[in-house]
Amino acid sequence: MIEFQNIYAGYGKREILHGVNLSVPAGQVTTLIGSNGSGKSTLLRALLGLVPKSGGDILYDGVSMEGMSAAEVARKIAYLPQGKNMPDISAGRMALHGRFPYLHYPRKYREQDFIIAQEAMRQMGILELAHKQMAELSGGMRQKVYIAMALTQQAPVIVMDEPTTYLDIGEQLKFARMVKQLAQSGKTVLLVLHDILLAFRISHRIAAMQYGKILQCGTSEEMLASNIADRLYGVSVKAVWTDAGLQYYYEMNEE
């Protein structure tokens, strides 16, 4: 479990997070929603130590993360950022980078590392792309390589910032199934999503952020009943039971 306790953080003198409190349980999918600039990505970066905190604490299984080395954090938390550089390497080598936190001098990959990376690529359906250069891949394929890299890290916590960017509808559905499976296996999953319908569909808990604070947090059903989408975006989210289960859809509000 990850616990954010009264977190204040930002960039230089510009404070973005103003006393954020949030629990992210193990074995569940927790999703952050909110408009651009609400602090979602900053909260993830504060968790990784990439943004300095000016107040509060972050606990990992009840233990403060203050003072943990970057390698320790990487072994606990796999992070897929929103904006990623495109290095001049193969897709297979990119996925293999997920094993870097486990390497010891002389930083040589072991056979086990290659097996784990191959399995992650197989899980994402891109094993045949292992020898392709990243620059040759479409945006959607590159995104799947980055997700495979996060899976290769085999950390108990997986944090992803807008992971469905560039994925088409079919790939988004596959991603949704994969995320649910990760949670069922005991992983702690923390996502940032702009796709509210997807957030409602796959999340155990949704946390809505606004102006650097948690506006509301609850289950999909609780958030649906609170009309949170209307408060954040001016649209309503409705639910209907179908043969495929509960489905969510948008309903535009009349002006």
Side-chain angles (χ1 to χ4, degrees):
M1 172 183 281
I2 301 293
E3 295 178 76
F4 297 91
Q5 297 184 339
N6 203 31
I7 298 299
Y8 290 81
Y11 305 89
K13 295 182 179 180
R14 184 181 173 219
E15 187 177 86
I16 304 296
L17 304 177
H18 315 296
V20 173
N21 291 283
L22 178 67
S23 294
V24 184
Q28 293 189 13
V29 179
T30 301
T31 302
L32 301 175
I33 64 172
S35 58
N36 291 333
S38 60
K40 304 182 301 297
S41 295
T42 301
L43 186 61
L44 300 190
R45 291 175 63 81
L47 170 62
L48 276 294
L50 302 176
V51 173
K53 302 190 303 297
S54 56
D57 200 6
I58 302 175
L59 307 184
Y60 178 94
D61 285 347
V63 178
S64 174
M65 295 183 66
E66 198 71 38
M68 285 187 184
S69 68
E72 286 179 288
V73 174
R75 287 193 290 268
K76 296 179 184 299
I77 304 172
Y79 174 50
L80 178 65
Q82 183 176 9
K84 298 169 290 295
N85 295 325
M86 188 173 61
D88 185 23
I89 60 175
S90 68
R93 203 70 183 179
M94 189 76 247
L96 190 60
H97 274 4
R99 300 305 299 164
F100 193 79
Y102 301 95
L103 299 184
H104 301 288
Y105 187 81
R107 302 292 186 185
K108 185 176 181 180
Y109 290 112
R110 303 157 298 176
E111 181 180 358
Q112 177 188 8
D113 298 320
F114 287 96
I115 293 173
I116 291 171
Q118 288 175 356
E119 180 54 36
M121 295 191 74
R122 184 178 292 108
Q123 186 175 349
M124 292 305 303
I126 55 172
L127 185 57
E128 73 281 0
L129 301 179
H131 298 293
K132 290 275 190 179
Q133 292 297 113
M134 291 291 288
E136 299 176 30
L137 304 180
S138 67
M141 289 298 103
R142 286 199 299 269
Q143 189 71 351
K144 293 173 78 172
V145 174
Y146 289 123
I147 295 174
M149 182 177 65
L151 296 178
T152 298
Q153 202 165 325
Q154 289 194 326
V157 179
I158 297 182
V159 175
M160 303 187 198
D161 194 350
E162 290 297 332
T164 58
T165 302
Y166 304 120
L167 299 184
D168 60 32
I169 297 299
E171 295 301 335
Q172 287 183 24
L173 293 176
K174 292 178 183 178
F175 172 81
R177 287 195 296 269
M178 180 198 71
V179 166
K180 289 181 178 180
Q181 290 169 356
L182 289 172
Q184 290 169 358
S185 71
K187 299 279 190 184
T188 303
V189 182
L190 177 59
L191 307 175
V192 166
L193 290 176
H194 276 301
D195 188 333
I196 307 304
L197 300 185
L198 182 61
F200 272 87
R201 188 179 303 125
I202 68 175
S203 305
H204 295 90
R205 298 172 76 248
I206 296 174
M209 294 193 69
Q210 190 174 57
Y211 307 127
K213 296 183 178 181
I214 300 294
L215 177 64
Q216 185 175 340
C217 184
T219 64
S220 294
E221 291 76 13
E222 291 168 341
M223 300 296 270
L224 183 69
S226 73
N227 294 319
I228 191 65
D230 189 11
R231 295 160 64 188
L232 291 176
Y233 310 108
V235 298
S236 294
V237 173
K238 304 294 183 180
V240 60
W241 282 101
T242 69
D243 292 339
L246 192 63
Q247 300 296 316
Y248 297 94
Y249 63 94
Y250 289 121
E251 186 175 271
M252 297 298 298
N253 298 327
E254 295 183 3
E255 296 184 358

